mmCIF file of all heavy atoms in Angstrom:
data_model
loop_
_atom_site.group_PDB
_atom_site.id
_atom_site.type_symbol
_atom_site.label_atom_id
_atom_site.label_comp_id
_atom_site.label_asym_id
_atom_site.label_seq_id
_atom_site.Cartn_x
_atom_site.Cartn_y
_atom_site.Cartn_z
ATOM 1 N N ASP A 100 127.538 96.756 127.453
ATOM 2 C CA ASP A 100 128.746 96.469 126.675
ATOM 3 C C ASP A 100 129.979 97.085 127.340
ATOM 4 O O ASP A 100 131.038 96.458 127.396
ATOM 5 C CB ASP A 100 128.609 96.991 125.245
ATOM 6 C CG ASP A 100 127.607 96.199 124.431
ATOM 7 O OD1 ASP A 100 127.282 95.060 124.830
ATOM 8 O OD2 ASP A 100 127.147 96.726 123.390
ATOM 9 N N ASP A 101 129.851 98.315 127.844
ATOM 10 C CA ASP A 101 130.973 98.959 128.533
ATOM 11 C C ASP A 101 131.342 98.212 129.810
ATOM 12 O O ASP A 101 132.533 98.039 130.118
ATOM 13 C CB ASP A 101 130.636 100.413 128.864
ATOM 14 C CG ASP A 101 130.556 101.292 127.635
ATOM 15 O OD1 ASP A 101 131.054 100.868 126.562
ATOM 16 O OD2 ASP A 101 129.986 102.396 127.737
ATOM 17 N N ILE A 102 130.349 97.774 130.548
ATOM 18 C CA ILE A 102 130.619 97.022 131.778
ATOM 19 C C ILE A 102 131.329 95.716 131.453
ATOM 20 O O ILE A 102 132.297 95.338 132.122
ATOM 21 C CB ILE A 102 129.314 96.758 132.552
ATOM 22 C CG1 ILE A 102 128.787 98.058 133.156
ATOM 23 C CG2 ILE A 102 129.514 95.708 133.633
ATOM 24 C CD1 ILE A 102 127.392 97.945 133.717
ATOM 25 N N ASN A 103 130.876 95.032 130.413
ATOM 26 C CA ASN A 103 131.533 93.778 130.019
ATOM 27 C C ASN A 103 132.968 94.025 129.558
ATOM 28 O O ASN A 103 133.854 93.205 129.817
ATOM 29 C CB ASN A 103 130.739 93.058 128.943
ATOM 30 C CG ASN A 103 129.547 92.334 129.511
ATOM 31 O OD1 ASN A 103 129.508 92.018 130.687
ATOM 32 N ND2 ASN A 103 128.565 92.080 128.668
ATOM 33 N N GLN A 104 133.222 95.143 128.899
ATOM 34 C CA GLN A 104 134.588 95.471 128.475
ATOM 35 C C GLN A 104 135.469 95.723 129.699
ATOM 36 O O GLN A 104 136.609 95.242 129.760
ATOM 37 C CB GLN A 104 134.586 96.700 127.564
ATOM 38 C CG GLN A 104 135.951 97.070 127.036
ATOM 39 C CD GLN A 104 136.519 95.990 126.136
ATOM 40 O OE1 GLN A 104 135.804 95.352 125.378
ATOM 41 N NE2 GLN A 104 137.820 95.773 126.231
ATOM 42 N N LEU A 105 134.960 96.465 130.680
ATOM 43 C CA LEU A 105 135.720 96.700 131.913
ATOM 44 C C LEU A 105 135.986 95.396 132.658
ATOM 45 O O LEU A 105 137.082 95.178 133.184
ATOM 46 C CB LEU A 105 134.970 97.667 132.826
ATOM 47 C CG LEU A 105 134.943 99.126 132.377
ATOM 48 C CD1 LEU A 105 133.997 99.924 133.262
ATOM 49 C CD2 LEU A 105 136.336 99.706 132.419
ATOM 50 N N ARG A 106 134.978 94.537 132.716
ATOM 51 C CA ARG A 106 135.151 93.248 133.391
ATOM 52 C C ARG A 106 136.180 92.390 132.658
ATOM 53 O O ARG A 106 136.975 91.700 133.288
ATOM 54 C CB ARG A 106 133.819 92.529 133.500
ATOM 55 C CG ARG A 106 132.869 93.199 134.482
ATOM 56 C CD ARG A 106 131.508 92.533 134.481
ATOM 57 N NE ARG A 106 131.574 91.171 134.970
ATOM 58 C CZ ARG A 106 131.406 90.825 136.243
ATOM 59 N NH1 ARG A 106 131.161 91.741 137.146
ATOM 60 N NH2 ARG A 106 131.467 89.562 136.606
ATOM 61 N N GLN A 107 136.203 92.439 131.328
ATOM 62 C CA GLN A 107 137.172 91.681 130.557
ATOM 63 C C GLN A 107 138.583 92.215 130.808
ATOM 64 O O GLN A 107 139.531 91.442 130.938
ATOM 65 C CB GLN A 107 136.842 91.761 129.070
ATOM 66 C CG GLN A 107 137.763 90.962 128.198
ATOM 67 C CD GLN A 107 137.412 91.096 126.732
ATOM 68 O OE1 GLN A 107 136.554 91.891 126.356
ATOM 69 N NE2 GLN A 107 138.059 90.322 125.898
ATOM 70 N N ASP A 108 138.738 93.536 130.896
ATOM 71 C CA ASP A 108 140.044 94.131 131.173
ATOM 72 C C ASP A 108 140.577 93.712 132.541
ATOM 73 O O ASP A 108 141.780 93.608 132.738
ATOM 74 C CB ASP A 108 139.975 95.650 131.098
ATOM 75 C CG ASP A 108 139.737 96.151 129.685
ATOM 76 O OD1 ASP A 108 139.931 95.364 128.731
ATOM 77 O OD2 ASP A 108 139.344 97.329 129.539
ATOM 78 N N ARG A 109 139.690 93.478 133.488
ATOM 79 C CA ARG A 109 140.097 93.088 134.836
ATOM 80 C C ARG A 109 140.165 91.579 135.018
ATOM 81 O O ARG A 109 140.406 91.094 136.118
ATOM 82 C CB ARG A 109 139.119 93.676 135.851
ATOM 83 C CG ARG A 109 139.185 95.185 135.897
ATOM 84 C CD ARG A 109 138.246 95.760 136.876
ATOM 85 N NE ARG A 109 138.338 97.223 136.824
ATOM 86 C CZ ARG A 109 137.534 98.033 137.449
ATOM 87 N NH1 ARG A 109 136.553 97.537 138.193
ATOM 88 N NH2 ARG A 109 137.687 99.319 137.352
ATOM 89 N N GLY A 110 139.925 90.834 133.957
ATOM 90 C CA GLY A 110 140.014 89.383 134.022
ATOM 91 C C GLY A 110 138.802 88.722 134.643
ATOM 92 O O GLY A 110 138.879 87.578 135.094
ATOM 93 N N MET A 111 137.687 89.405 134.679
ATOM 94 C CA MET A 111 136.461 88.858 135.259
ATOM 95 C C MET A 111 135.580 88.318 134.140
ATOM 96 O O MET A 111 135.675 88.758 132.992
ATOM 97 C CB MET A 111 135.715 89.954 136.036
ATOM 98 C CG MET A 111 136.523 90.542 137.184
ATOM 99 S SD MET A 111 135.788 92.035 137.864
ATOM 100 C CE MET A 111 134.332 91.375 138.628
ATOM 101 N N PRO A 112 134.680 87.386 134.448
ATOM 102 C CA PRO A 112 133.766 86.884 133.413
ATOM 103 C C PRO A 112 132.719 87.953 133.079
ATOM 104 O O PRO A 112 132.426 88.835 133.893
ATOM 105 C CB PRO A 112 133.120 85.668 134.074
ATOM 106 C CG PRO A 112 133.221 85.915 135.523
ATOM 107 C CD PRO A 112 134.490 86.694 135.729
ATOM 108 N N PRO A 113 132.159 87.900 131.879
ATOM 109 C CA PRO A 113 131.135 88.886 131.511
ATOM 110 C C PRO A 113 129.847 88.671 132.303
ATOM 111 O O PRO A 113 129.616 87.608 132.868
ATOM 112 C CB PRO A 113 130.914 88.634 130.021
ATOM 113 C CG PRO A 113 131.328 87.231 129.809
ATOM 114 C CD PRO A 113 132.420 86.961 130.804
ATOM 115 N N MET A 114 129.042 89.727 132.337
ATOM 116 C CA MET A 114 127.727 89.613 132.968
ATOM 117 C C MET A 114 126.896 88.620 132.173
ATOM 118 O O MET A 114 126.933 88.616 130.941
ATOM 119 C CB MET A 114 127.013 90.969 132.980
ATOM 120 C CG MET A 114 127.610 91.971 133.907
ATOM 121 S SD MET A 114 126.790 93.582 133.804
ATOM 122 C CE MET A 114 125.132 93.178 134.248
ATOM 123 N N VAL A 115 126.156 87.793 132.847
ATOM 124 C CA VAL A 115 125.274 86.849 132.171
ATOM 125 C C VAL A 115 123.870 87.070 132.699
ATOM 126 O O VAL A 115 123.672 87.479 133.830
ATOM 127 C CB VAL A 115 125.695 85.380 132.393
ATOM 128 C CG1 VAL A 115 127.014 85.105 131.714
ATOM 129 C CG2 VAL A 115 125.786 85.056 133.854
ATOM 130 N N GLY A 116 122.914 86.837 131.873
ATOM 131 C CA GLY A 116 121.519 86.997 132.269
ATOM 132 C C GLY A 116 120.634 86.203 131.345
ATOM 133 O O GLY A 116 121.099 85.372 130.562
ATOM 134 N N THR A 117 119.356 86.465 131.412
ATOM 135 C CA THR A 117 118.421 85.753 130.562
ATOM 136 C C THR A 117 118.441 86.340 129.161
ATOM 137 O O THR A 117 118.921 87.440 128.939
ATOM 138 C CB THR A 117 116.997 85.860 131.132
ATOM 139 O OG1 THR A 117 116.595 87.227 131.073
ATOM 140 C CG2 THR A 117 116.941 85.363 132.550
ATOM 141 N N ASN A 118 117.916 85.620 128.232
ATOM 142 C CA ASN A 118 117.794 86.114 126.866
ATOM 143 C C ASN A 118 116.463 86.804 126.623
ATOM 144 O O ASN A 118 116.106 87.080 125.493
ATOM 145 C CB ASN A 118 117.971 84.956 125.880
ATOM 146 C CG ASN A 118 119.376 84.445 125.847
ATOM 147 O OD1 ASN A 118 120.309 85.188 126.106
ATOM 148 N ND2 ASN A 118 119.539 83.181 125.523
ATOM 149 N N ALA A 119 115.718 87.080 127.683
ATOM 150 C CA ALA A 119 114.383 87.632 127.517
ATOM 151 C C ALA A 119 114.422 89.078 127.027
ATOM 152 O O ALA A 119 113.783 89.422 126.049
ATOM 153 C CB ALA A 119 113.609 87.544 128.826
#
Side-chain angles (χ1 to χ4, degrees):
D100 290 342
D101 291 344
I102 289 170
N103 282 338
Q104 182 64 37
L105 288 172
R106 290 175 65 91
Q107 182 181 7
D108 292 344
R109 294 180 182 172
M111 300 168 69
M114 290 176 60
V115 293
T117 65
N118 290 332

